[in-house]
Amino acid sequence: YHEHKGEYVSQRLILPKGVTYGDALSVYAYDRDHVIVGGNAGREPAIWVDNVLHILHRGFRVDNAYEDLPNGIVTAIVRIDGHTFAAGHELYEPEKIIATVWRDGVPEHLKASGDDFISSEVMDIQAYGSDLYLLTHEYSLVHAEDHDYEALSSVLWMNGKVVCKIPYKGMMSFAVY
């Protein structure tokens, strides 16, 4: 939606030729006249900057086995010092996702666990000054005496480094001030 003289006007997002579906999952407005929309165009993670489509590069070239599910998505967007940070996830193995933040289209994968890592996804993104904060959910394999199980942790990241990892909690959002 773009504001024009106090009224909102809806606009359709452009899809690549041959792509019949897409999702708009996040919106970031800046400088009053500019809008970035994040989501997916068909199976690929994408952003639309002022209605111009940009398909984001995936670091892993893994395709989802289910043809109607995307290989990656953008769920959160922020701008810092003229750089666009789009965050979401992409497949790194069939049916397994990894939290990803694209800085100006270049992917960085967020993984706080070691060899026991299973999957992760971005839950929230915030900017404070020139610092980028991300909250991810991460699943890892826990080895118990009689069985193994998946455990959820919330991980807070600042500028690509882990600030804290909170085991067995699924935080949905946070605030930086």
Side-chain angles (χ1 to χ4, degrees):
Y1 290 93
H2 291 284
E3 183 178 354
H4 179 70
K5 298 183 181 177
E7 297 180 18
Y8 290 93
V9 178
S10 67
Q11 291 184 332
R12 291 188 181 263
L13 297 174
I14 306 301
L15 293 172
K17 187 175 181 120
V19 174
T20 59
Y21 69 96
D23 295 299
L25 303 170
S26 57
V27 176
Y28 183 81
Y30 66 99
D31 295 340
R32 187 160 173 80
D33 295 322
H34 302 283
V35 176
I36 303 173
V37 175
N40 59 285
R43 300 184 77 186
E44 300 303 318
I47 60 173
W48 291 261
V49 180
D50 295 330
N51 212 27
V52 175
L53 173 64
H54 301 270
I55 301 293
L56 298 176
H57 172 74
R58 290 185 292 126
F60 298 97
R61 299 305 301 172
V62 176
D63 287 331
N64 199 318
Y66 304 100
E67 291 201 18
D68 58 341
L69 294 176
N71 298 319
I73 61 172
V74 172
T75 57
I77 302 168
V78 70
R79 280 180 52 89
I80 301 172
D81 298 333
H83 298 283
T84 300
F85 294 87
H89 65 260
E90 69 169 282
L91 287 173
Y92 75 96
E93 287 183 9
E95 300 182 30
K96 291 186 179 179
I97 59 175
I98 188 165
T100 305
V101 60
W102 289 269
R103 178 184 179 178
D104 298 327
V106 178
E108 177 184 349
H109 301 105
L110 304 174
K111 175 182 162 186
S113 300
D115 293 338
D116 294 331
F117 175 82
I118 297 173
S119 68
S120 62
E121 62 185 325
V122 173
M123 302 308 295
D124 197 5
I125 191 170
Q126 300 285 327
Y128 186 75
S130 60
D131 293 321
L132 174 69
Y133 293 85
L134 290 154
L135 177 67
T136 62
H137 279 177
E138 187 164 303
Y139 292 89
S140 56
L141 188 63
V142 175
H143 306 284
E145 287 183 26
D146 57 344
H147 67 284
D148 294 342
Y149 62 93
E150 290 183 19
L152 167 67
S153 296
S154 292
V155 182
L156 181 61
W157 300 79
M158 178 181 155
N159 300 328
K161 304 220 182 306
V162 174
V163 174
C164 67
K165 184 174 180 180
I166 304 165
Y168 310 111
K169 299 286 183 194
M171 298 171 55
M172 300 303 289
S173 188
F174 69 103
V176 179
Y177 58 95

